[in-house]
Structure formats: structure tokens, C-alpha cells
Amino acid sequence: MISQTNGKATTGAIWTACILSAIGIACWNLLPVTLGSAADSYLLSDQQIGLLASSLLTGWLIATVVAFFFMQKFDRRWVTALGACLAAIGSIASQFGDGLGLLYLTWGLAGFGMAIVYCVSIQLIAELGDIERGFGFKLISEVSGAAILLYIFPVFIISVWHYAGASYGVAAVYLSALIFLHWVAPYAPARKITTKNKKESAPFAAWLVLGGTLIFLCGITGLWAFMERIGTDVGVTTQQMGVFFVVLKVVGGLAGVTMVFASGKYGIRWPHIVSFLCIFFGVLTLHTTQSVLGYAVGTWIWEDGFSLGVSY
């Protein structure tokens, strides 16, 4: 663990981890606009859009699982570089595919690389002294980066160059991780594992929490992937979409600010209750509205609940 007495080291570690986290999660934050762009360029049905998103997230899942076996063994700078390059290759190659099969495959490859970058950032944050505050800063950096990208992509890139521009833009975002390799600690600190700890298994409650988190994220991801399509159906323009997504991520950033200042003062139960209420009313608004304003309000309420819930 990084010593808390070394202010510069700790600050540098936080900034590096947060920037890599914002880069790593960019694919998820950009999912509505990249899926929408792909749907328009390739005339995809809703089912095909869902399969495309599943391809990306399947690659992400595989990388997350296998990361457990190699993250401790290899230089994390090389691991980060590998992930960034795979993400860029998959993203760029996706526009040259002739057929849905290759499109799904390249999105899966991109998702694999993207997850590697994100896993490195999570490991760096876990090594900090104040994990809750570290994850608060992580969330702030992610939503800040998302707010910028969700405005730039639909307004300046996709509207001009369509899906080809989106694929190059995503590749550029992930290749930017190479700039920060110098500040990535090559290896994780050694951890002493006793024989007793090796024999311990996760309690049943931990598996329940993991299952609940899985269900929570499945629902959230399914809605987020089609958020751009929902907006298009109620008449949201490209310019409005960019502005709405910026405000959406700023609202989500409030959850990160809350975590930084609260730092565990309010426990776990109340933040989750507030999170679920926000998600419920946000989804209800999106389901019932037929107006642009209703869409905006629904997405903003939903995002605040999601960001708070996923953080805690």
C-alpha cells in the first residue's frame, strides 16, 4: 500500500488511477452514442444492437476474469499498453468489417482491451489508503471525462464522420492511456497471505451481494445501451443529445462528490435507498414521457441514482 505520509506519491497515484479509470470506462459511457451510430450506419435492428453491446461486454467480462491470473505477475505498464492497443485495434477494425459476425468479433476484442485498462486502474485505487475517497475521486474523473466525450462525439464527430469517426475517436481515447504509463507502478505491493487466509472462503452474504450487483448492473446496462435510441424516438436532436448527456454526467458526478466528503459517514443502507428511489422514478419518467423535457429529467434522475448506487 502507498504510504499516506508521502503526499506526492499518493496524489500522483490517485491522479494516474483516476485518469486510467476514466479512459477504461469510456466505452461504457460512450455506449449509447456509438451503438446509435453503428445502428444508423449499418441499419441494425434493436436485436442486433443488443447483440453488439453484448459482444463488447462479453470481451470485457473475459478480460476481467482472466485479469485475476496475470495482473500480479506482469509489469502493469506493459499490461496497460497491451489493453490500450487491443482496444484501439478492435475499434478501428470494426468499421472495415463486411458482415455482422466480424462486427461482433471486433467489438468483443475492443471490449477485452478496454477492460484491461480499467482493471489496472481499479487495482491502483485499491492500493490507496482511503479507498472510499479514492473511489469518490475515481467517479468524479469518470463522469467528467464522460461529460466531455458525450458532447464531443455526437456533436462534432458522429454528426460529420458517422461511425467511422466514432471508431477512430474511441481508438484515440484508449491510446491516450499510453501517455500516463510513466506514472503507473510496475508491480503491485507484495501481500502476505497466511495459510489460514488461504483456506477461508467468501461468506454467503458476500455471494448475495455479488449476485445483487450483477442483477443491478444488468438492468442498468440494458437501459443505458438504448438511451440514445429512446431519446431519438421522442424527438431529441443530436445537439440536444450532447447537452443532455453532459448535464447527465455532471449530475452523476454529484454522487462522487458525496462520496469524497461523506467518506462512509452515512453507512451503506441510506445511500442505497436513495439510489433505488432515484432509479425507480427515473425509469418511470422515461417510460411515461413523450416529450424532450421529460426525457431529459428522467435520464438525469436515473443517472444520479445509478452513480450513487454503483459507487456504494
Side-chain angles (χ1 to χ4, degrees), residues 27-90:
C27 69
W28 196 89
N29 287 325
L30 287 170
L31 195 57
V33 293
T34 52
L35 280 175
S37 177
D40 292 336
S41 296
Y42 296 109
L43 302 178
L44 303 178
S45 66
D46 288 345
Q47 181 182 18
Q48 291 168 335
I49 294 173
L51 289 173
L52 190 58
S54 295
S55 300
L56 179 84
L57 296 175
T58 298
W60 183 285
L61 174 64
I62 294 172
T64 303
V65 173
V66 301
F68 176 80
F69 299 99
F70 67 80
M71 288 286 280
Q72 301 287 346
K73 299 179 181 179
F74 300 99
D75 189 325
R76 290 188 295 202
R77 294 174 180 175
W78 287 106
V79 173
T80 305
L82 174 64
C85 290
L86 288 177
I89 291 171

Side-chain angles (χ1 to χ4, degrees), residues 212-238:
T213 303
L214 177 63
I215 296 172
F216 175 80
L217 291 177
C218 283
I220 290 295
T221 303
L223 180 59
W224 177 242
F226 286 90
M227 194 68 78
E228 187 268 350
R229 296 285 92 181
I230 295 172
T232 301
D233 289 342
V234 298
V236 179
T237 65
T238 301

Side-chain angles (χ1 to χ4, degrees), residues 47-252:
Q47 181 182 18
Q48 291 168 335
I49 294 173
L51 289 173
L52 190 58
S54 295
S55 300
L56 179 84
L57 296 175
T58 298
W60 183 285
L61 174 64
I62 294 172
T64 303
V65 173
V66 301
F68 176 80
F69 299 99
F70 67 80
M71 288 286 280
Q72 301 287 346
K73 299 179 181 179
F74 300 99
D75 189 325
R76 290 188 295 202
R77 294 174 180 175
W78 287 106
V79 173
T80 305
L82 174 64
C85 290
L86 288 177
I89 291 171
S91 181
I92 293 173
S94 66
Q95 64 174 298
F96 299 110
D98 184 15
L100 286 174
L102 188 56
L103 187 64
Y104 295 150
L105 181 63
T106 53
W107 271 58
L109 175 64
F112 185 90
M114 294 164 178
I116 290 177
V117 177
Y118 190 66
C119 286
V120 172
S121 73
I122 293 295
Q123 190 178 46
L124 292 173
I125 290 173
E127 293 166 6
L128 303 176
D130 190 340
I131 295 180
E132 285 188 334
R133 184 157 296 181
F135 271 91
F137 281 117
K138 164 186 172 294
L139 180 58
I140 292 173
S141 68
E142 288 177 1
V143 297
S144 299
I148 295 171
L149 294 176
L150 283 170
Y151 185 77
I152 291 176
F153 267 72
V155 176
F156 297 109
I157 297 178
I158 294 175
S159 63
V160 179
W161 294 289
H162 309 292
Y163 181 71
S167 64
Y168 281 115
V170 170
V173 169
Y174 280 88
L175 288 177
S176 67
L178 302 179
I179 300 173
F180 305 98
L181 293 183
H182 175 74
W183 293 279
V184 174
Y187 296 96
R191 296 181 181 180
K192 186 178 180 180
I193 303 177
T194 64
T195 304
K196 179 181 178 180
N197 290 336
K198 287 182 180 179
K199 294 181 179 179
E200 289 179 352
S201 59
F204 181 68
W207 288 109
L208 285 179
V209 171
L210 184 62
T213 303
L214 177 63
I215 296 172
F216 175 80
L217 291 177
C218 283
I220 290 295
T221 303
L223 180 59
W224 177 242
F226 286 90
M227 194 68 78
E228 187 268 350
R229 296 285 92 181
I230 295 172
T232 301
D233 289 342
V234 298
V236 179
T237 65
T238 301
Q239 194 79 19
Q240 290 172 330
M241 193 75 71
V243 174
F244 289 168
F245 279 153
V246 169
V247 178
L248 178 145
K249 286 303 175 182
V250 171
V251 170

